[in-house]
Amino acid sequence: MRAVDLIQKKRDGKELTTEEISWLISNYAQGHVPDYQMSALAMAIYFQGMSVNEIRDLTMSMVKTGEEIDLSSLVGIKTDKHSTGGVGDKVTLILAPLVASFDVPVAKMSGRGLGHTGGTLDKLESIKGYQIDRSQEEFIQQVKDIGVSVIGQSDQLVKADKLLYALRDVTATVDIIPLIASSVMSKKIAAGADSILLDVTVGDGAFMKNEADAEVLSRTMVDLGKEVGRKTVAVMTNMSQPLGRAVGNRLEVLEALDIMKGQGREDVTHFICELAQIMLELAGREESLETVREHLVNGQALKKFEEMVAYQGGDLEDLYRPSQAAFITEVRAEQEGYITALPALEFGLIAMRLGAGRAVKTDQLDYEAGLVFEKKVGDYVNVGDLVLTIYSNRVVEETVLQDCQKNITIGSEQKIPKEILKVIT
Ligand code: URA
C-alpha cells in the first residue's frame, strides 16, 4: 500500500477499507508515514467525512498503537468520564471523588489544557506536591486502596492520538466529528473502564458550536463505546458561558472545595449531582438525586478528594491556600439589568492571557491567575455591582479590563441557561 493512494481515495470521497485504515495508522505511529501525508489525509477527512465503519476502524486502529490498561483486578464496574473541553470545567475534581464515595471505583486519566480550555491535570498540579505520573501498577493499587485516582495519561496509551492531535492542532483539523470521536473513544477504550460518561460541551467555548453537531458527535461516540462492549452515555452540556464561578487552576480547585463543602453555586452543584447520578447508574447503582447531593454536601466527597490528594503526594495544607496572585482587580457592572451573556471563549482567552492557560504547549502556567465571577448569566446587577475579579501576577493591562467589560452583556430580559441540554444513551 502507498499512503498517497489512500489520501487520493479519501480526497475523492471514497470509503477506506479496514485494512487500509489499519495500515495507515500503524505505519503513522511507527514513523513510516510522515506528518505531511497524515496532514493531507486529515484535511481530506475534514472535507469528505467518514462513514460509521471508517470511524470504528480508525478508533480501533488507534487503540492498537499503544498499551491497553487492564483494570480487571479491580472489583466492581469501573467508570470513567471524559469532557470534550471547556472553560472553568472543574467537574472531574468533584465528580471522581463523589462517585468514589459510593464505593464505585474511579480510575481516571486526564489531560492538560490548551488554548482557551483548561485541563484537569493542570488544576491538580496547582496543589503543591500532587503527582500526576503514576505507573499502571501504582494507579491500580491506589484505586484498590481508596477507590479513586486521577493521573496523567500514560505516554504508552494510544500513541497515534498524541501524534495526530498535535498535527491537527496546527493544521486546522481539530473540530471535525470523525477525528474527535476516534480521538476521545480510542483513549477511553484503551483506559480500560467498563462504563464511560461523555460530557460533550456545546457553545462558543466548545469544539461543537451548536446542538445538532454535538448530537451527531455524541451518538457517534456512544455507538463506538457500545460496539466494544462499554456502556456509554453522552451528556450534552452548555458551554456558552464559563462553568461555575472560577476560571484558572488554583481558583478552580478552591471552587471545587467550596462545592464539596456545600458552598458552591446552586447551578453547578445541581449539574454535578446530575452527572454523578448518571455515572452511578452506568455502574449499576440507582441513587436518587437527594442521596447524591447528600454525599456532595455532607463532606463524603470532600473526604475522598482529600484522600486522593494525600495519596498522590499533595499537601493538604496547601490545598486550602487562597490564590497568591499579586494583583486583584475588580470589574463592576456599568449598567443595570440581567446578565445575558458571558462568552466562554472570550473569557477563556482572557484567562489564558493572564497566564492561566497555554497559547502553545510549551507555555509555563501561572497557577494563581484567572477570573472569579460573582454574577453569571441570568443574575441581576445594579450599576457598580461586582461582576468578576481578575487574579494576576502581572499588572493587569487596560486592554484586559476593556475586554472583560466588552464581554459582559446586560439586558432587560432574564435568560436562565440550562446546564444539561440532552442525554444520549
Ligand atoms: N478531546 C480529545 O481528546 N480529542 C479531540 O479530538 C477533541 C477533544
Side-chain angles (χ1 to χ4, degrees):
M1 266 186 238
R2 293 193 321 158
V4 62
D5 300 325
L6 305 185
I7 296 166
Q8 186 174 343
K9 192 171 173 188
K10 184 74 322 215
R11 184 201 69 187
D12 295 343
K14 300 196 181 107
E15 190 172 355
L16 298 175
T17 65
T18 307
E19 292 69 35
E20 286 167 341
I21 291 174
S22 164
W23 181 88
L24 264 171
I25 296 300
S26 90
N27 278 285
Y28 177 56
Q30 291 171 60
H32 305 320
V33 170
D35 275 350
Y36 53 81
Q37 286 190 307
M38 211 57 191
S39 311
L41 182 76
M43 194 55 87
I45 293 171
Y46 190 94
F47 285 110
Q48 296 294 354
M50 278 186 134
S51 69
V52 172
N53 286 344
E54 285 179 307
I55 299 174
R56 183 204 54 226
D57 293 339
L58 177 60
T59 307
M60 296 319 293
S61 302
M62 283 171 62
V63 172
K64 285 184 202 135
T65 61
E67 68 182 24
E68 291 181 53
I69 311 283
D70 180 3
L71 299 180
S72 60
S73 64
L74 294 172
V75 179
I77 301 176
K78 278 74 70 182
T79 58
D80 197 355
K81 174 252 167 193
H82 188 91
S83 161
T84 54
V87 178
D89 182 351
K90 69 278 300 170
V91 170
T92 295
L93 301 182
I94 307 153
L95 193 62
L98 175 57
V99 170
S101 76
F102 284 86
D103 292 327
V104 168
V106 181
K108 166 129 185 63
M109 290 185 175
S110 283
R112 295 195 181 282
L114 187 63
H116 69 282
T117 64
T120 301
L121 287 189
D122 301 321
K123 295 168 209 204
L124 286 168
E125 278 189 329
S126 75
I127 305 163
K128 195 166 137 200
Y130 191 98
Q131 299 294 316
I132 52 115
D133 289 321
R134 282 285 189 256
S135 70
Q136 216 186 116
E137 295 69 35
E138 289 169 326
F139 179 50
I140 291 173
Q141 189 58 47
Q142 179 174 339
V143 181
K144 278 184 187 160
D145 290 345
I146 64 165
V148 60
S149 180
V150 180
I151 63 165
Q153 189 182 302
S154 145
D155 277 347
Q156 302 309 312
L157 207 82
V158 196
K159 287 187 188 159
D161 182 62
K162 271 207 179 63
L163 299 168
L164 191 53
Y165 196 88
L167 203 61
R168 288 165 59 207
D169 203 32
V170 292
T171 55
T173 50
V174 170
D175 51 342
I176 163 83
I177 289 169
L179 298 185
I180 297 178
S182 52
S183 161
V184 169
M185 290 309 291
S186 59
K187 285 179 288 203
K188 293 294 103 180
I189 293 166
D194 308 301
S195 63
I196 304 160
L197 171 66
L198 300 166
D199 177 355
V200 179
T201 47
V202 190
D204 90 315
F207 287 124
M208 297 292 107
K209 304 294 180 207
N210 61 65
E211 286 192 40
D213 286 346
E215 188 162 346
V216 176
L217 175 63
S218 299
R219 288 204 185 283
T220 307
M221 295 196 289
V222 167
D223 290 346
L224 279 169
K226 279 194 186 143
E227 261 198 56
V228 291
R230 314 287 169 96
K231 269 192 178 174
T232 308
V233 169
V235 181
M236 288 164 47
T237 62
N238 192 343
M239 193 42 75
S240 57
Q241 64 170 339
L243 183 72
R245 297 180 66 216
V247 181
N249 299 290
R250 151 97 359 208
L251 298 167
E252 290 187 47
V253 169
L254 292 170
E255 184 185 5
L257 294 171
D258 280 345
I259 294 170
M260 289 187 275
K261 285 187 262 175
Q263 295 162 5
R265 273 186 70 96
E266 173 50 32
D267 49 7
V268 67
T269 301
H270 183 75
F271 169 64
I272 288 171
C273 288
E274 285 185 300
L275 290 184
Q277 193 188 27
I278 298 171
M279 210 162 153
L280 287 164
E281 207 178 311
L282 278 167
R285 293 281 293 271
E286 293 285 332
E287 300 291 349
S288 68
L289 260 186
E290 291 67 38
T291 311
V292 175
R293 180 180 276 264
E294 194 55 28
H295 274 236
L296 182 57
V297 301
N298 73 4
Q300 293 191 69
L302 183 59
K303 187 164 162 277
K304 262 292 154 225
F305 183 69
E306 287 183 346
E307 270 180 63
M308 177 177 87
V309 169
Y311 201 111
Q312 292 186 229
D315 177 337
L316 288 182
E317 255 174 58
D318 184 74
L319 177 63
Y320 287 93
R321 173 183 58 75
S323 163
Q324 287 175 337
F327 299 96
I328 293 177
T329 313
E330 295 179 340
V331 178
R332 293 180 176 272
E334 289 183 332
Q335 68 185 90
E336 169 183 327
Y338 291 104
I339 302 211
T340 53
L342 295 169
L345 173 61
E346 297 303 332
F347 283 106
L349 290 171
I350 292 170
M352 188 184 86
R353 278 156 62 195
L354 297 170
R358 299 182 183 83
V360 292
K361 271 199 180 124
T362 46
D363 279 353
Q364 282 292 321
L365 289 183
D366 179 348
Y367 291 133
E368 311 298 312
L371 307 168
V372 175
F373 290 83
E374 292 309 320
K375 303 284 180 189
K376 297 289 301 289
V377 172
D379 291 345
Y380 193 83
V381 285
N382 287 303
V383 175
D385 278 356
L386 180 61
V387 178
L388 68 105
T389 308
I390 303 171
Y391 290 78
S392 173
N393 277 316
R394 309 168 186 166
V395 177
V396 177
E397 294 162 22
E398 196 51 38
T399 53
V400 169
L401 286 172
Q402 283 163 1
D403 286 347
C404 284
Q405 277 298 353
K406 197 173 78 192
N407 285 295
I408 301 169
T409 311
I410 297 174
S412 55
E413 250 178 72
Q414 187 180 27
K415 284 197 296 185
I416 308 238
K418 265 170 79 175
E419 301 290 346
I420 292 188
L421 305 172
K422 204 166 197 167
V423 179
I424 311 286
T425 56

mmCIF file of all heavy atoms in Angstrom, residues 82-85 161 165 168 174 179-181 183-184 187 207, ligand 1:
data_model
loop_
_atom_site.group_PDB
_atom_site.id
_atom_site.type_symbol
_atom_site.label_atom_id
_atom_site.label_comp_id
_atom_site.label_asym_id
_atom_site.label_seq_id
_atom_site.Cartn_x
_atom_site.Cartn_y
_atom_site.Cartn_z
ATOM 1 N N HIS A 82 -15.181 11.631 30.438
ATOM 2 C CA HIS A 82 -14.352 12.471 29.571
ATOM 3 C C HIS A 82 -15.148 13.693 29.155
ATOM 4 O O HIS A 82 -16.326 13.588 28.824
ATOM 5 C CB HIS A 82 -13.940 11.683 28.315
ATOM 6 C CG HIS A 82 -12.941 12.396 27.463
ATOM 7 N ND1 HIS A 82 -11.584 12.243 27.625
ATOM 8 C CD2 HIS A 82 -13.101 13.284 26.461
ATOM 9 C CE1 HIS A 82 -10.943 13.002 26.744
ATOM 10 N NE2 HIS A 82 -11.855 13.645 26.022
ATOM 11 N N SER A 83 -14.495 14.832 29.156
ATOM 12 C CA SER A 83 -15.150 16.046 28.661
ATOM 13 C C SER A 83 -14.465 16.458 27.366
ATOM 14 O O SER A 83 -13.240 16.334 27.245
ATOM 15 C CB SER A 83 -15.019 17.156 29.690
ATOM 16 O OG SER A 83 -15.246 18.404 29.075
ATOM 17 N N THR A 84 -15.256 16.955 26.411
ATOM 18 C CA THR A 84 -14.632 17.408 25.163
ATOM 19 C C THR A 84 -14.051 18.812 25.315
ATOM 20 O O THR A 84 -13.631 19.412 24.339
ATOM 21 C CB THR A 84 -15.628 17.338 23.979
ATOM 22 O OG1 THR A 84 -16.808 18.064 24.331
ATOM 23 C CG2 THR A 84 -15.963 15.915 23.620
ATOM 24 N N GLY A 85 -14.047 19.344 26.529
ATOM 25 C CA GLY A 85 -13.280 20.559 26.796
ATOM 26 C C GLY A 85 -14.127 21.790 27.018
ATOM 27 O O GLY A 85 -15.162 21.967 26.389
ATOM 28 N N ASP A 161 -2.803 8.878 18.717
ATOM 29 C CA ASP A 161 -3.585 10.078 19.047
ATOM 30 C C ASP A 161 -2.680 11.236 19.428
ATOM 31 O O ASP A 161 -2.944 12.383 19.067
ATOM 32 C CB ASP A 161 -4.586 9.796 20.177
ATOM 33 C CG ASP A 161 -5.420 11.034 20.473
ATOM 34 O OD1 ASP A 161 -6.143 11.474 19.547
ATOM 35 O OD2 ASP A 161 -5.355 11.591 21.575
ATOM 36 N N TYR A 165 -3.108 14.343 17.225
ATOM 37 C CA TYR A 165 -3.723 15.523 17.836
ATOM 38 C C TYR A 165 -2.808 16.743 17.669
ATOM 39 O O TYR A 165 -3.271 17.836 17.336
ATOM 40 C CB TYR A 165 -4.035 15.278 19.323
ATOM 41 C CG TYR A 165 -4.997 16.324 19.835
ATOM 42 C CD1 TYR A 165 -6.369 16.135 19.737
ATOM 43 C CD2 TYR A 165 -4.544 17.531 20.350
ATOM 44 C CE1 TYR A 165 -7.265 17.111 20.157
ATOM 45 C CE2 TYR A 165 -5.430 18.509 20.764
ATOM 46 C CZ TYR A 165 -6.781 18.282 20.672
ATOM 47 O OH TYR A 165 -7.662 19.262 21.066
ATOM 48 N N ARG A 168 -3.182 17.863 14.143
ATOM 49 C CA ARG A 168 -4.489 18.511 13.901
ATOM 50 C C ARG A 168 -4.506 19.924 14.463
ATOM 51 O O ARG A 168 -5.093 20.834 13.878
ATOM 52 C CB ARG A 168 -5.608 17.673 14.543
ATOM 53 C CG ARG A 168 -5.885 16.376 13.806
ATOM 54 C CD ARG A 168 -6.704 15.440 14.667
ATOM 55 N NE ARG A 168 -7.967 16.022 15.061
ATOM 56 C CZ ARG A 168 -8.644 15.695 16.183
ATOM 57 N NH1 ARG A 168 -8.157 14.781 17.007
ATOM 58 N NH2 ARG A 168 -9.777 16.262 16.460
ATOM 59 N N VAL A 174 -8.889 20.100 13.939
ATOM 60 C CA VAL A 174 -9.342 19.564 15.237
ATOM 61 C C VAL A 174 -10.853 19.375 15.240
ATOM 62 O O VAL A 174 -11.363 18.317 15.609
ATOM 63 C CB VAL A 174 -8.905 20.482 16.411
ATOM 64 C CG1 VAL A 174 -9.592 20.047 17.703
ATOM 65 C CG2 VAL A 174 -7.394 20.412 16.618
ATOM 66 N N LEU A 179 -12.767 12.750 13.630
ATOM 67 C CA LEU A 179 -11.459 12.790 14.289
ATOM 68 C C LEU A 179 -11.589 13.028 15.798
ATOM 69 O O LEU A 179 -10.816 12.485 16.582
ATOM 70 C CB LEU A 179 -10.550 13.837 13.627
ATOM 71 C CG LEU A 179 -10.231 13.565 12.140
ATOM 72 C CD1 LEU A 179 -9.238 14.587 11.610
ATOM 73 C CD2 LEU A 179 -9.670 12.155 11.928
ATOM 74 N N ILE A 180 -12.581 13.810 16.211
ATOM 75 C CA ILE A 180 -12.784 13.995 17.659
ATOM 76 C C ILE A 180 -13.281 12.675 18.259
ATOM 77 O O ILE A 180 -12.781 12.213 19.287
ATOM 78 C CB ILE A 180 -13.800 15.126 17.963
ATOM 79 C CG1 ILE A 180 -13.287 16.478 17.459
ATOM 80 C CG2 ILE A 180 -14.073 15.207 19.466
ATOM 81 C CD1 ILE A 180 -14.252 17.646 17.663
ATOM 82 N N ALA A 181 -14.268 12.056 17.599
ATOM 83 C CA ALA A 181 -14.854 10.813 18.134
ATOM 84 C C ALA A 181 -13.785 9.733 18.276
ATOM 85 O O ALA A 181 -13.686 9.070 19.322
ATOM 86 C CB ALA A 181 -15.981 10.334 17.230
ATOM 87 N N SER A 183 -10.521 10.131 18.459
ATOM 88 C CA SER A 183 -9.501 10.548 19.434
ATOM 89 C C SER A 183 -9.988 10.276 20.861
ATOM 90 O O SER A 183 -9.292 9.654 21.671
ATOM 91 C CB SER A 183 -9.216 12.046 19.226
ATOM 92 O OG SER A 183 -8.599 12.615 20.338
ATOM 93 N N VAL A 184 -11.207 10.716 21.167
ATOM 94 C CA VAL A 184 -11.737 10.545 22.526
ATOM 95 C C VAL A 184 -11.939 9.059 22.820
ATOM 96 O O VAL A 184 -11.477 8.543 23.849
ATOM 97 C CB VAL A 184 -13.086 11.307 22.680
ATOM 98 C CG1 VAL A 184 -13.778 10.932 23.987
ATOM 99 C CG2 VAL A 184 -12.867 12.819 22.602
ATOM 100 N N LYS A 187 -8.928 6.680 23.380
ATOM 101 C CA LYS A 187 -8.297 6.831 24.698
ATOM 102 C C LYS A 187 -9.156 6.181 25.787
ATOM 103 O O LYS A 187 -8.656 5.548 26.704
ATOM 104 C CB LYS A 187 -8.088 8.320 25.009
ATOM 105 C CG LYS A 187 -6.928 8.908 24.221
ATOM 106 C CD LYS A 187 -6.730 10.380 24.492
ATOM 107 C CE LYS A 187 -7.809 11.211 23.865
ATOM 108 N NZ LYS A 187 -7.497 12.587 23.612
ATOM 109 N N PHE A 207 -15.721 22.810 21.189
ATOM 110 C CA PHE A 207 -15.475 22.468 19.773
ATOM 111 C C PHE A 207 -16.786 22.440 19.001
ATOM 112 O O PHE A 207 -16.844 22.803 17.837
ATOM 113 C CB PHE A 207 -14.812 21.094 19.653
ATOM 114 C CG PHE A 207 -13.376 21.091 20.087
ATOM 115 C CD1 PHE A 207 -12.937 20.225 21.066
ATOM 116 C CD2 PHE A 207 -12.464 21.963 19.526
ATOM 117 C CE1 PHE A 207 -11.610 20.225 21.482
ATOM 118 C CE2 PHE A 207 -11.145 21.984 19.928
ATOM 119 C CZ PHE A 207 -10.716 21.104 20.912
HETATM 120 N N1 URA B 1 -10.655 15.976 23.070
HETATM 121 C C1 URA B 1 -9.903 14.935 22.629
HETATM 122 O O1 URA B 1 -9.423 14.124 23.418
HETATM 123 N N2 URA B 1 -9.693 14.810 21.305
HETATM 124 C C2 URA B 1 -10.213 15.660 20.398
HETATM 125 O O2 URA B 1 -10.008 15.472 19.226
HETATM 126 C C3 URA B 1 -11.000 16.739 20.870
HETATM 127 C C4 URA B 1 -11.211 16.860 22.219
#
